[in-house]
Amino acid sequence: MAAADIPGLVRGLQERSARAVPAVVADHLDGWWLRYEDSGAWWACSVLPHGDAGISHLPARIRCAEKFYAGLGARARFQISPGACPPGLDGALAERGYRAGSPMSLQVAPAAHVNGRLAAGALRIRVDDQPTDAWFGTWLAVHGTGDPGPERSGCRGRAEAS
């Protein structure tokens, strides 16, 4: 893949992920996705700053995002991906007192490559209508200490309401 294609790939993957875990409230600002979710899942309650913006436009966009979240009683968080966000965004956020946190790694591989590494019959799939205790156990293992209560009650509450 050419280096010029990487920002589009990263943006596309992040936007598909955002659609898979939709926010309760969402708005768009010149290509930026403003997403709010009260469950405590930071990735569903953050700005995807994917629209192109010149460095002179960044302060105004950041202020608009902050106003959006303040109106919901939350603080603004930005999901930053090198190459997929406007140049200078990290610096503009640092000047406003933001700091980096919750690093993650987005990894992809062709399905044929992954399937070729599995032993025959090794893949088992089970679909449940809501997260299981095993799923929440994995959540705790990934996030360390803490309580997945907001996610657990939010997911189960939605499942029961439908």
Side-chain angles (χ1 to χ4, degrees):
M1 170 173 288
D5 296 335
I6 291 175
L9 173 65
V10 172
R11 285 180 182 184
L13 289 170
Q14 286 182 326
E15 290 171 6
R16 284 182 200 73
S17 296
R19 287 184 192 103
V21 182
V24 172
V25 178
D27 202 353
H28 292 271
L29 171 66
D30 296 325
W32 286 23
W33 295 34
L34 308 176
R35 305 169 299 155
Y36 175 75
E37 169 64 53
D38 57 1
S39 73
W42 72 263
W43 57 88
C45 189
S46 62
V47 178
L48 279 179
H50 286 174
D52 295 324
I55 195 147
S56 63
H57 295 107
L58 292 176
R61 285 200 188 174
I62 293 168
R63 283 192 303 274
C64 285
E66 290 169 342
K67 184 177 179 181
F68 171 84
Y69 288 97
L72 295 165
R75 61 188 170 108
R77 299 182 92 171
F78 292 78
Q79 190 172 339
I80 306 297
S81 296
C85 296
L89 181 58
D90 272 333
L93 290 170
E95 287 175 9
R96 294 184 68 80
Y98 287 85
R99 61 179 172 70
S102 303
M104 61 183 295
S105 174
L106 176 63
Q107 300 180 15
V108 297
H113 176 75
V114 174
N115 288 338
R117 297 184 67 174
L118 293 174
L123 184 61
R124 294 186 343 224
I125 297 174
R126 180 177 133 190
V127 178
D128 291 311
D129 63 350
Q130 63 186 6
T132 64
D133 288 337
W135 186 92
F136 283 107
T138 302
W139 187 95
L140 285 171
V142 169
H143 294 283
T145 60
D147 178 15
E151 278 87 349
R152 179 176 285 215
S153 62
C155 290
R156 292 181 188 258
R158 284 188 198 95
E160 292 167 3
S162 19

